[in-house]
Amino acid sequence: MFEQLGLIGCGLMGGSFALALKRAGLVKRVVGYSKSPSTTDRARQMGVIDVEAPSALLAVAGADIVLLAVPVSATEASLKAIRHLVTPNMLIMDVGSTKADVVQAARSALGDKVGPFVPAHPITGREVAGVEHSDADLYVGRQVILTPIERTLTLQIKQAEEVWKALGCRVTSMSPESHDEAFAAVSHLPHLLAFAFINGLAGQTQAENFFSLAGPGFRDFSRIAASDSKIWRDILLANRQDVLAQSELFRQALTQLEQLIRTGNRQGLEDLITLASATRSHWRMGAQRSKGHH
């Protein structure tokens, strides 16, 4: 049970965390800070936070748990702003979708005070941003990946695991680098492809006509293209090396399929579609990785 959550960033992720923590009876008071005063005001009206703080530093004053729910590019500035009040017995976490850059920002901003910081990535979200969409159920049944570094304190890692489990999450740990490599493949690349696909369609003279005829296949394939542009700009740039490596592998796979179509190779085309279909059929979200693949 925590006395006070210091919430830095009162958007969808931060707001939902505060609501979930309150509902689970894990926190007595939530003090929130947001760059935009209207957001913080709205968060208070909704009961997401109890007190508005005029700065990130004051949101952390007296807090024993702190959540950074800001764009990954704002991590370093946010941690610098609170550094003065960081103590060895508070738990500090983030919810960023990339981790190597967040860890780098934490080392740089906190220096020898980096111990209480546990980098976290809850695999959840919505296409809609903003505190008004906050939902205490956002994290239920989701996977959360922790990427502690050698200086992260053991007590805080344990606390972080317990908090997310209490919110109904499955918790996994891995290195920041392994995390970024994996998410480039299964999250960042699909978003990149969805953005490119929609823009490629939208640029055609027939676009309006095409969109009006689109059905469930289009809906399922393109859903993530409606994501927040600033968040995804940051993610793609923060993880550019891994994203571009995955994009290159995708390009090779696409070229292979194009070649089979071009040459009318029925069997080759069918084989590759069968392979993709079987692979996707066997996939289950959040299925446990087999032991030994860490």
Side-chain angles (χ1 to χ4, degrees):
M1 171 69 160
F2 296 96
E3 287 295 321
Q4 180 185 314
L5 166 67
L7 183 62
I8 299 167
C10 303
L12 171 73
M13 300 290 279
S16 299
F17 183 81
L19 289 178
L21 218 55
K22 284 183 170 195
R23 186 174 70 183
L26 288 174
V27 71
K28 288 185 185 162
R29 184 172 68 255
V30 179
V31 179
Y33 165 73
S34 214
K35 213 169 50 177
S36 134
S38 60
T39 298
T40 328
D41 195 43
R42 181 96 179 87
R44 192 181 43 76
Q45 288 167 6
M46 288 174 62
V48 168
I49 65 174
D50 305 309
V51 183
E52 294 176 50
S55 69
L57 183 65
L58 288 171
V60 173
D64 45 358
I65 176 171
V66 173
L67 188 77
L68 241 62
V70 297
V72 284
S73 60
T75 306
E76 189 168 344
S78 304
L79 288 173
K80 270 199 179 118
I82 68 167
R83 180 179 197 270
H84 183 56
L85 290 180
V86 169
T87 68
N89 39 15
M90 57 173 56
L91 167 63
I92 308 170
M93 297 188 291
D94 76 313
V95 292
S97 304
T98 51
K99 284 280 141 306
D101 61 322
V102 163
V103 162
Q104 189 53 48
R107 286 184 199 273
S108 173
L110 297 177
D112 57 357
K113 288 185 163 189
V114 79
F117 180 65
V118 182
H121 177 200
I123 317 301
T124 184
R126 299 253 158 87
E127 275 62 64
V128 287
V131 71
E132 54 279 4
H133 301 290
S134 297
D135 176 3
D137 282 326
L138 187 69
Y139 298 105
V140 176
R142 297 300 181 161
Q143 183 161 230
V144 175
I145 297 180
L146 305 180
T147 63
I149 56 174
E150 75 290 342
R151 298 190 61 182
T152 312
L153 298 167
T154 313
L155 177 67
Q156 271 83 343
I157 298 174
K158 195 169 173 302
Q159 270 187 316
E161 284 177 4
E162 283 167 5
V163 170
W164 290 111
K165 281 179 181 161
L167 300 187
C169 302
R170 295 186 311 280
V171 183
T172 316
S173 288
M174 62 203 305
S175 75
E177 294 72 25
S178 307
H179 167 280
D180 287 0
E181 190 183 7
F183 282 87
V186 297
S187 171
H188 309 161
L189 176 71
H191 278 81
L192 181 69
L193 301 184
F195 301 144
F197 166 64
I198 293 290
N199 289 346
L201 275 183
Q204 300 177 38
T205 47
Q206 286 270 62
E208 227 158 292
N209 185 30
F210 292 163
F211 283 128
S212 71
L213 295 169
F218 173 85
R219 179 197 63 206
D220 296 345
F221 183 79
S222 66
R223 176 182 65 83
I224 53 176
S227 296
D228 185 288
S229 56
K230 287 185 172 56
I231 289 175
W232 279 94
R233 170 201 66 194
D234 283 356
I235 290 171
L236 295 173
L237 290 175
N239 203 18
R240 70 182 78 185
Q241 271 179 299
D242 286 331
V243 170
L244 292 171
Q246 288 298 331
S247 182
E248 183 50 44
L249 292 170
F250 170 77
R251 201 183 307 267
Q252 290 167 18
L254 181 63
T255 302
Q256 191 182 9
L257 283 165
E258 287 171 346
Q259 189 53 27
L260 295 170
I261 293 170
R262 200 173 283 119
T263 57
N265 186 334
R266 294 171 65 90
Q267 193 55 52
L269 190 59
E270 187 184 333
D271 289 348
L272 282 187
I273 296 171
T274 302
L275 176 66
S277 178
T279 305
R280 178 60 178 78
S281 302
H282 288 121
W283 174 78
R284 290 286 170 273
M285 192 160 80
Q288 287 305 304
R289 292 175 298 169
S290 57
K291 291 280 176 264
H293 289 76
H294 290 302

